[in-house]
Amino acid sequence: MDNMKPGMDLASQKKADEDVKEEEKSRSKRLGGIRTMPFILANEICDRFAASGFHSNMITYLTRELNMPLVQASNTLTNFGGTASFTPLIGALIADSFAGRFWTIIVGSVIYELGLVSITISAVLPSLRPPPCPTQEHCQAASAFQLWILYMSLLLTSLGTGGIRPCVVTFAADQFDMDKSSTARSGKWNFFNWYYFIMGIATLTALTVVVYVQDNVGWGWGLGIPTIAMAISIIAFLIGSALYRKLKPGGSPLIRLFQVIVAAVKKRKEIAPEDPKLLYQNKELDAAISVHGRLVHSDQYKWFDRAAIVTEREATNSNPPNLWRLATVHRVEELKTIIRMLPIWAAGILHVTSSSHQHSFTIQQARTMDRHLSHSFEIPPASLSIFGILTMLSGLVLYERLFVPFAKRFTGNPSGVTCLQRMGIGFTVNILATIVASFVEMKRKAVAADHTLLDDPKAIIPISVFWLVPQFCLHGIAEVFMSVGHLEFLYDQSPESMRSTAAALYWIAISVGNYIGTLLVSLVHKYTGQKNNWLPDRNLNRGSLEYYYWLVSGIQVVNLVYYVICAWLYTYKPLEEVKEEDGEFHENKISQNGSELARNETA
C-alpha cells in the first residue's frame, strides 16, 4: 500500500487503522449526552425568551410608537417573519456543507444580538421615533430614516435567525443516539416533546414579564431585557463547547441531489437491472453521510435508479467514481426521500397562511375589550398568548402521559400515533380554532353596537377579554399535534446528513405561508371596498374580521383534504442500521415508522 509506513506489514497497518477508528469511536462516546443539555438549552431558552419578548408585542410598538396603520404594521411583521423563516435554509446549507452546526449557531446568535441592540437604541432615543399620538387619529408617520433603522434591525434579527433555528434543535439531538427504532421501542421519552415544552416555558416567561414591562414601564427596558437575554445565551453556549459532539459536515446536500439528477439524466437510455443489488453501492464513499445507517433501495421513483447503474466502462474503472455520472444507492435514496417528504411539508404552508395574521388581529381586538383582572391591574393584550402557551405545555405532558398510552392500545404503535396522524389531528383542531375566533369577533361587535361604540376606535367595549381565551387554547392544542409532529416528521424522515436542511424546511413552510398570508390580507384589504372593508386601517369595529376568519377556515378545510390524501399515499423511508451487540455486528432494516422489517447478521 502506498500510504503504509516503512517497516510495517499489511496486518500491522490494518491493526493500526482499527486502533485509530476505535479511539475516535471512544472519544465520540465521551462527548455529548445529557450533560451538554444545560448549555444548549440555556442558549435556546434565552434565545426563545429574547425572540418571544421582541416579537410578541411588536405590533403594538409599530402602531403606537411608530404610528403605522394596522395593515401596514401587520404586513411589515409578517414579511420580516417570512424572511426570518426563509434564512434558515441558507443557514442550514452552510451548516451541512462546510461550517458545521456549532459555528453556524455562534455566528447567527451574534448577528441576532446586533439587531436587538440597534432596535433597543431606537426605542431609547426620541429622535428615532415620530412624536407620540395618543388619539391614534391624524398621526405623524415615521420618517424614512426612522423606518430604515427599524427595517435594518428586523433584517439583522432575520439573518441571525437563519443560523439559529435550523441548527439548535438538530445540534441538541446530535448529542444523543436518536436512533428511531431504539427510541420508539424504549418509549422512555420524546426529545421533540421535551424540546417544545422547555421552549414553551421560555415563551411563557417572555409573554408575562417582557410584555408587562413594555406596556407599563417602557420600550427601552422592554426591548433591553431580550437584548441582555440573548447576550447571556451566547455566553452559555460557548461555555459548554468542549463537551459537545460536533458531527462533521458531509458536504453540500444540494450538490449531492443535483449529482443524482444529472447522473440519471445522462443514463436515461440505460435499463436498470431487475435486481436492485446490482446497483452501485459504496460504503466507504457514503460513510460520512450515513453514520447511523444507510438508506436501502425503495421501489418508488425508480427512474432515478438509473443514476446508480454501473456501466461496463465504470465496472472496469479502478479510479474513484465521477459522482456526476454514477451515484450510490444511498444517494439516490436521499433524493427519493426528499421528494416523498415535499407534499407533506407543503401542507404546512397554507396552515401557516391561515394563522399568519391572527395574532396581530387578536391583539387589536383585545385592546378594545375589558382586560381588568382587578380595579388596578389590566392584562397586556399581547400577554393573552400565555393561554395558548399554557395549553401547549399542559398538552405536551398529557400527550405523553395519557394520550400515547391510550392510543397505543388501539394502534400498537409505541408512539401512540405516527407523526403523520399527529399532524392531521393538529390541522383539524386549528380549523376549529379559526371558526371559534370568527364567532367571538361577531359577539364583540354586537356588544359594541349595543353600546353605540362602533365609531370610537379607542373605546373599551364592555365585554371581557377572556372571550378570546378559547381560541388561544385551541391553537395551543393544535401546536401540540401539528408543530411537534411536523418537526419530528422532518427530522425522522430526512437523510441524516440533511437534518439541518430538513429543519430549515420547517421554517421555509412558515416563510412561504407568511408571504402568502401577507398577499391574502393585502388582497382582502384592497378588494373589500372602502366603506365596508373587512380589515380597516384604524377602526376594527367597522370592519368584518369574522369574514376573513371564515375565508381562512375554508382554505384550511381544502388544505386538510389535500393533506389526508398525501399522508395516505406516503411511504416511510427504510433504513439499514448497523449495531454492535455482544461483540457481533448486526444489520437491521428499519422502517422509520418504528417497525423492524428484517434482521441479518453480518459477523
Side-chain angles (χ1 to χ4, degrees), residues 417-437:
V417 293
T418 66
C419 48
L420 292 179
Q421 293 168 334
R422 184 172 184 171
M423 289 170 61
I425 296 171
F427 280 128
T428 304
V429 175
N430 204 64
I431 294 173
L432 181 60
T434 310
I435 293 173
V436 169

Side-chain angles (χ1 to χ4, degrees), residues 38-39 179 187 200 328 472 535:
F39 304 102
D179 160 9
T328 63
F472 279 105
L535 304 172

Side-chain angles (χ1 to χ4, degrees), residues 76-130:
T76 297
L77 293 180
T78 304
N79 287 339
F80 278 100
T83 303
S85 299
F86 178 77
T87 53
L89 178 60
I90 301 172
L93 292 175
I94 292 173
D96 283 342
S97 299
F98 61 89
R101 289 166 191 151
F102 175 79
W103 285 110
T104 306
I105 293 170
I106 292 294
V107 174
S109 298
V110 171
I111 295 174
Y112 196 102
E113 176 70 6
L114 292 175
L116 289 177
V117 169
S118 60
I119 198 167
T120 301
I121 292 174
S122 70
V124 171
L125 299 178
S127 60
L128 298 180
R129 304 190 310 275

Side-chain angles (χ1 to χ4, degrees), residues 184-198:
R185 284 196 296 269
S186 68
K188 291 181 180 178
W189 70 307
N190 183 313
F191 172 78
F192 296 97
N193 282 344
W194 284 110
Y195 172 83
Y196 258 85
F197 182 85
I198 294 172

Side-chain angles (χ1 to χ4, degrees), residues 456-512:
D456 186 358
K458 297 283 291 180
I460 300 300
I461 302 169
I463 178 175
S464 173
V465 76
F466 289 104
W467 278 84
L468 297 173
V469 169
Q471 66 197 65
F472 279 105
C473 293
L474 287 170
H475 280 301
I477 295 172
E479 281 278 300
V480 171
F481 288 93
M482 169 56 197
S483 296
V484 182
H486 196 189
L487 188 59
E488 183 180 1
F489 167 78
L490 292 172
Y491 185 90
D492 286 343
Q493 291 302 294
S494 64
E496 69 176 71
S497 62
M498 299 184 183
R499 279 174 173 163
S500 290
T501 305
L505 286 176
Y506 174 83
W507 298 106
I508 291 295
I510 295 176
S511 173
V512 177

Side-chain angles (χ1 to χ4, degrees), residues 46-62:
C46 292
D47 166 55
R48 186 58 60 93
F49 176 85
S52 299
F54 174 65
H55 289 289
S56 61
N57 206 22
M58 190 52 55
I59 186 71
T60 302
Y61 182 78
L62 297 187

Side-chain angles (χ1 to χ4, degrees), residues 384-429:
L384 283 173
S385 298
I386 65 173
F387 294 103
I389 301 297
L390 287 172
T391 304
M392 184 192 75
L393 294 176
S394 56
L396 286 170
V397 175
L398 294 174
Y399 182 90
E400 283 289 318
R401 299 300 179 186
L402 297 180
F403 180 82
V404 171
F406 177 77
K408 190 162 51 176
R409 296 179 181 177
F410 300 95
T411 64
N413 190 313
S415 300
V417 293
T418 66
C419 48
L420 292 179
Q421 293 168 334
R422 184 172 184 171
M423 289 170 61
I425 296 171
F427 280 128
T428 304
V429 175

